Amino acid sequence: MIKKVGIVGFGQMGSGIGQVAASNDYEVKAIEVNDDAFQTGMKYINKSLSKMIEKGKADEAFKEKVLGNISGSTDLNELADCDIICEAVVENMDIKKEVYKKLDSICKPETIFASNTSSLSIGDMASVTNRRSQFIGLHFFNPVPVMKLCEVVKTLDTSEQTFDTSFSFAESLGKACVTAKDSPGFIVNVLLVPYLLDAIRNLECGLATKEDIDNGMMLGCGHPMGPLTLTDFIGLDTILYIADIMFEEFKNSHYSAPPLLRRMVNAGYMGRKAGRGFYDYSKK
Ligand code: CAA
């Protein structure tokens, strides 16, 4: 039975997962490196809940309930009695392994560890713990309160019980679940990322303007956002990071990052969060 949910890393994804858990009556304890970072996550949640109220999908009482179900801390020890940990720290294997080593000695034996990684090996993370069978991937999509999907990722060691409990947990957050093996990009990113990389390649070789590439896919294929707007939305650094991991694994040029993407990331054009990417968000 899952009642208490620990979130490690309360950025865009972690706070989104915390929000949907708190909305579905779970007690949420969120860990960040400092209070400012925790408050930034709470701001995302506040904004999202206000949007829902504006659209008539929630009321003030719901907002208060959700906010009341979430508390923050900088101390991992406060996660000792959590039933599941959803980890959404930066996509860096060394940092994730450090976090999991600590959590393994802190959390009660039954706690399930679930990583929100989009491309790193879950099995590799599990290898630094003594609970490989209680390790799983729960990969949510941005914005978490809106996107319906959760990829449930099994490693070679994930037990049936861990899988069933985690799958039911994700469903209890209102998500539709698909099951994938522990392979870089899982189901969605292995298709989505090469498409985004190709859009950047097309821009780079002068096929069309950024606006026309985006409008082409929105108006021609019914996508809610064009590929360059979506890359800005996800973060150019994140897409580059995933592309590099997939290229390293598959050694297929399909996954190789176009030079323009790397140049933009190196120059700080990270997308919407940085105020600039393919488009300028500094005045929005
Ligand atoms: N919280 C709550 N509700 C939100 C919200 C948020 N953060 N953001 C948007 N919404 C709601 C709006 O209130 C609105 O509700 P109604 O339908 O009732 O009007 C609805 O979602 C649409 O939002 P907007 O009208 O503000 O704007 P939009 O129509 O441009 O939609 C969007 C915004 C939902 C982000 C849409 O553009 C979209 O679906 N884009 C694609 C997003 C996507 O592909 N995400 C996956 C990225 S890949 C990933 O995350 C995985 C990875 O590992 C990289």
Side-chain angles (χ1 to χ4, degrees):
M1 257 299 260
I2 291 178
K3 287 189 177 149
K4 186 168 174 185
V5 179
I7 307 281
V8 186
F10 206 53
Q12 191 99 49
M13 295 306 291
S15 65
I17 299 166
Q19 180 183 336
V20 292
S23 301
N24 288 285
D25 301 317
Y26 292 99
E27 180 188 347
V28 175
K29 175 66 80 178
I31 305 296
E32 255 301 351
V33 285
N34 55 45
D35 190 54
D36 277 359
F38 171 68
Q39 293 306 337
T40 301
M42 289 306 281
K43 267 186 217 145
Y44 290 137
I45 295 178
N46 250 299
K47 208 170 152 191
S48 170
L49 291 168
S50 300
K51 211 169 199 174
M52 289 166 74
I53 293 172
E54 238 172 68
K55 301 276 166 138
K57 288 181 189 164
D59 56 19
E60 286 296 338
F62 179 77
K63 182 174 180 176
E64 252 172 59
K65 175 191 91 167
V66 174
L67 297 177
N69 282 343
I70 304 173
S71 60
S73 173
T74 54
D75 184 4
L76 281 176
N77 287 300
E78 295 206 22
L79 302 183
D81 60 343
C82 285
D83 303 301
I84 190 166
I85 305 289
C86 294
E87 168 272 313
V89 304
V90 62
E91 288 281 77
N92 175 305
M93 184 58 92
D94 292 338
I95 294 176
K96 286 189 193 280
K97 282 183 171 174
E98 269 317 297
V99 168
Y100 282 119
K101 267 189 223 163
K102 287 184 191 153
L103 286 173
D104 196 33
S105 62
I106 291 170
C107 294
K108 61 183 179 178
E110 312 85 64
T111 308
I112 291 174
F113 289 175
S115 178
N116 182 59
T117 184
S118 55
S119 41
L120 293 170
S121 162
I122 316 273
D124 200 2
M125 289 173 218
S127 70
V128 299
T129 71
N130 290 312
R131 55 180 92 205
R132 292 178 187 215
S133 65
Q134 282 160 244
F135 222 108
I136 198 153
L138 288 182
H139 183 220
F140 295 87
F141 291 79
N142 188 16
V144 181
V146 180
M147 305 312 282
K148 296 204 165 49
L149 187 71
C150 179
E151 289 177 310
V152 183
V153 182
K154 270 176 158 173
T155 73
L156 295 174
D157 295 309
T158 306
S159 71
E160 279 310 308
Q161 192 186 341
T162 299
F163 176 78
D164 291 344
T165 307
S166 306
F167 196 97
S168 303
F169 169 67
E171 282 189 328
S172 76
L173 305 184
K175 300 303 170 194
C177 296
V178 292
T179 308
K181 283 188 190 160
D182 187 16
S183 168
F186 313 130
I187 295 172
V188 174
N189 279 340
V190 83
L191 295 171
L192 176 67
V193 173
Y195 153 69
L196 300 179
L197 298 176
D198 278 343
I200 300 168
R201 270 188 265 279
N202 288 343
L203 178 70
E204 192 170 27
C205 75
L207 173 77
T209 63
K210 55 182 186 266
E211 291 82 3
D212 281 357
I213 291 172
D214 276 347
N215 281 332
M217 293 311 291
M218 283 196 296
L219 306 178
C221 296
H223 291 193
M225 284 175 168
L228 300 169
T229 304
L230 182 55
T231 304
D232 277 353
F233 182 71
I234 296 169
L236 275 71
D237 51 336
T238 304
I239 293 302
L240 177 60
Y241 196 78
I242 299 173
D244 283 347
I245 290 172
M246 296 206 301
F247 184 73
E248 180 60 29
E249 175 84 7
F250 299 119
K251 305 284 188 299
N252 181 329
S253 61
H254 212 49
Y255 305 107
S256 72
L260 175 61
L261 176 61
R262 210 173 288 281
R263 269 206 313 280
M264 289 178 74
V265 170
N266 288 341
Y269 287 71
M270 306 291 190
R272 201 185 274 205
K273 65 188 168 193
R276 58 187 191 170
F278 293 102
Y279 297 91
D280 181 3
Y281 303 91
S282 57
K283 292 177 200 76
K284 286 183 190 164

